[in-house]
């Protein structure tokens, strides 16, 4: 079966249940996942990406187990983390871009050539030898996205893709994402980031609260977040 399928999937860590009883089949071009902080959104993305194994149930991407078959998952899934610092591994731009291609089996020399060609095509050929540490936050975000795109995954998972970006950077990233042919699964607490999606899933306390078109899901989510805010609901200590 194509797309992303979760069957009664759950995830627990440190004795705490984070996700429970999730059954979904995701195949739409643009999918949004919303929820307040701590609802399990990022954990769900990590589960789909195969970065963690489900504690219960199954996760399949185009029929494969992304946790057990990491190489098979590379051509199907890419993930863009909220913080580029959590994604970047190498000291120079070209090495960072080449890493994913090398994971897919491309020889190092060929991977570096592909990285340089991609930079040149974007008018950034002079970045190749630049230390990643010299890039701005927005430039690091661009680098991480470019590294994912070079691997040509069928689906890209986006964790708060506009967090920490200034308005010009948000506009640039928005245009770039909108033009991509890949399926995009975007998690956010910001309804504007997913308002144009084909489908939105509202996650609450690790479970699906509502699943449907944005016009059906987002008004209820917005109203509930406003209610929580007015109730000063963060006064209780976390258990």
């Amino acid at each position: 079966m194509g797309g992303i399928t979760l069957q009664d999937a759950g995830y627990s860590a440190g004795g705490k249940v984070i996700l429970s009883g999730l059954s979904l089949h995701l195949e739409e071009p643009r999918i949004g996942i919303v929820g307040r902080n701590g609802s399990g959104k990022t954990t769900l993305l990590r589960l789909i990406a195969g970065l963690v194994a489900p504690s219960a149930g199954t996760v399949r991407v185009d029929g494969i187990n992304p946790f057990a078959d990491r190489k098979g998952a590379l051509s199907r899934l890419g993930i863009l983390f909220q913080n580029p610092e959590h994604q970047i591994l190498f000291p120079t731009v070209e090495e960072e871009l080449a890493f994913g291609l090398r994971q897919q089996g491309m020889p190092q020399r060929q991977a570096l050539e592909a990285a340089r060609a991609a930079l040149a095509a974007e008018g950034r050929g002079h970045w190749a030898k630049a230390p990643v540490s010299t890039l701005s936050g927005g430039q690091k975000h661009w680098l991480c996205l470019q590294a994912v795109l070079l691997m040509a995954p069928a689906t890209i998972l986006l964790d708060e893709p506009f967090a920490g970006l200034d308005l010009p950077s948000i506009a640039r990233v928005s245009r770039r994402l909108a033009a991509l042919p890949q399926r995009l699964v975007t998690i956010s607490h910001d309804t504007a980031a997913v308002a144009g999606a084909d489908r939105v899933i509202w996650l609450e306390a690790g479970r699906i609260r509502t699943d449907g078109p944005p016009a059906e899901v987002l008004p209820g989510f917005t109203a509930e977040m406003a209610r929580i805010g007015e109730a000063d609901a963060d006064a209780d200590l976390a258990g």
Side-chain angles (χ1 to χ4, degrees), residues 25-237:
H25 181 57
L26 308 177
E27 56 182 355
E28 294 81 4
R30 298 291 185 264
I31 299 162
I33 301 173
V34 297
R36 60 187 302 202
N37 290 342
S39 62
K41 302 187 304 296
T42 296
T43 300
L44 176 56
L45 236 62
R46 291 172 61 83
L47 199 65
I48 293 171
L51 299 178
V52 295
S55 305
T58 61
V59 178
R60 296 292 183 268
V61 178
D62 295 335
I64 73 163
N65 180 334
F67 182 80
D69 186 357
R70 296 300 303 136
K71 189 169 183 179
L74 290 175
S75 64
R76 292 170 170 84
L77 285 171
I79 185 168
L80 189 66
F81 291 104
Q82 177 177 344
N83 186 344
E85 303 294 347
H86 296 164
Q87 190 151 353
I88 293 171
L89 299 173
F90 289 86
T92 68
V93 169
E94 64 177 6
E95 289 175 297
E96 183 65 31
L97 286 176
F99 175 62
L101 297 175
R102 288 170 51 209
Q103 282 190 305
Q104 289 180 316
M106 187 179 290
Q108 182 172 357
R109 181 175 177 179
Q110 187 179 346
L112 287 170
E113 290 173 353
R116 294 172 194 139
L119 287 169
E122 294 280 339
R124 292 172 168 85
H126 57 293
W127 284 26
K129 302 291 185 182
V132 173
S133 60
T134 64
L135 302 185
S136 70
Q139 289 170 332
K140 288 177 181 177
H141 197 279
W142 178 91
L143 174 62
C144 291
L145 177 58
Q146 191 67 24
V148 169
L149 294 177
L150 267 179
M151 298 171 70
T155 298
I156 300 176
L157 310 174
L158 304 168
D159 184 359
E160 299 284 2
F162 307 119
L165 299 181
D166 59 20
L167 290 176
S169 296
I170 289 173
R172 285 193 293 269
V173 172
S174 294
R175 287 196 303 270
R176 185 64 181 270
L177 294 178
L180 293 177
Q182 282 96 341
R183 176 187 296 116
L184 301 183
V185 180
T186 303
I187 69 167
S188 184
H189 63 271
D190 181 5
T191 57
V194 299
D198 302 294
R199 176 182 179 185
V200 174
I201 297 158
W202 174 3
L203 206 61
E204 184 66 38
R207 288 182 172 272
I208 299 165
R209 176 154 172 176
T210 313
D211 178 0
E216 294 180 8
V217 177
L218 295 181
F221 173 73
T222 301
E224 178 64 6
M225 295 307 102
R227 186 195 67 77
I228 291 171
E230 290 172 359
D232 193 22
D234 64 347
D236 292 335
L237 295 173

